[in-house]
Amino acid sequence: MALTPRVFLPAGQIQDRVRQMGQEISRDYPEGPIYLIAILKGAFIFLADLARSIETPSRIEFIGISSYGRGKTSSGEVKLTKDLDVSIEGQHVLVVEDIVDSGVTLNYLINLLEQRKPKSLRIATLLDKPDRRMRDVDVAYVGFQIPDEFVVGYGLDFDEDYRSLSDICVLSES
Ligand code: IMP
Ligand code: MG
């Protein structure tokens, strides 16, 4: 059976919401720099748009985390695959994530980053699937809450495919 992407959130709607999130973050952080730490790879497009919507000066960093899973579910086992190149001690840190699903990834990452004594530590996610939460995570900025559907595009993948779609799509069997 073939998998067909069906548009769920069109590009224009994503752009509007990301711009609003950038304005809200700019208001909340009058002083920079904000260290925007994006989780590879899924958050790279959201990061690019969000960073350009934030007026407060920011710095861009990447961190790699694998949840050991291929396909549509995380294995629940988390591993750091690429660490930060800089110290975040005493800095404002905003973790930028594509989607919070079980919460396992962010729960692990927040515990790790807290040990490094940032001045503040918050999360911005484009998508949130609250139905599937297994670990508690406190997310300060959410773009869209979505139902329990597997989505691709705008950075999100299914086995590394579909990341470059401008819309967010549901993958359905046809
Ligand atoms: P969590 O640890 O279960 O919260 O998983 C978060 C990670 O799983 C995200 O960063 C994504 O890489 C991946 N993920 C969860 N749901 C989806 C989805 O619907 N589409 C694509 N990737 C997803
Ligand atoms: Mg991810």
Side-chain angles (χ1 to χ4, degrees), residues 103-118:
V104 170
T105 304
L106 278 174
N107 183 273
Y108 168 88
L109 181 62
I110 291 299
N111 286 332
L112 182 86
L113 295 181
E114 250 165 15
Q115 292 166 22
R116 300 182 183 180
K117 307 205 168 16

Side-chain angles (χ1 to χ4, degrees), residues 58-126:
S58 65
R59 294 183 179 171
I60 310 287
E61 299 293 336
F62 293 95
I63 199 161
I65 293 185
S66 95
S67 56
Y68 274 18
R70 294 185 64 217
K72 291 188 178 180
T73 48
S74 144
S75 65
E77 238 185 295
V78 190
K79 197 181 93 168
L80 192 68
T81 56
K82 184 210 170 294
D83 203 345
L84 297 174
D85 303 318
V86 294
S87 164
I88 54 165
E89 190 173 339
Q91 303 293 346
H92 289 298
V93 171
L94 184 61
V95 172
V96 178
E97 175 60 311
D98 51 3
I99 185 165
V100 190
D101 186 22
S102 69
V104 170
T105 304
L106 278 174
N107 183 273
Y108 168 88
L109 181 62
I110 291 299
N111 286 332
L112 182 86
L113 295 181
E114 250 165 15
Q115 292 166 22
R116 300 182 183 180
K117 307 205 168 16
K119 189 189 288 178
S120 69
L121 180 57
R122 287 186 182 167
I123 299 168
T125 187
L126 181 67

Side-chain angles (χ1 to χ4, degrees), residues 18-43:
V18 172
R19 216 166 291 129
Q20 283 174 355
M21 293 175 83
Q23 286 166 1
E24 195 183 336
I25 292 165
S26 306
R27 278 196 300 272
D28 290 353
Y29 295 85
E31 275 176 37
I34 313 171
Y35 279 67
L36 300 176
I37 299 185
I39 307 181
L40 293 169
K41 303 173 196 169

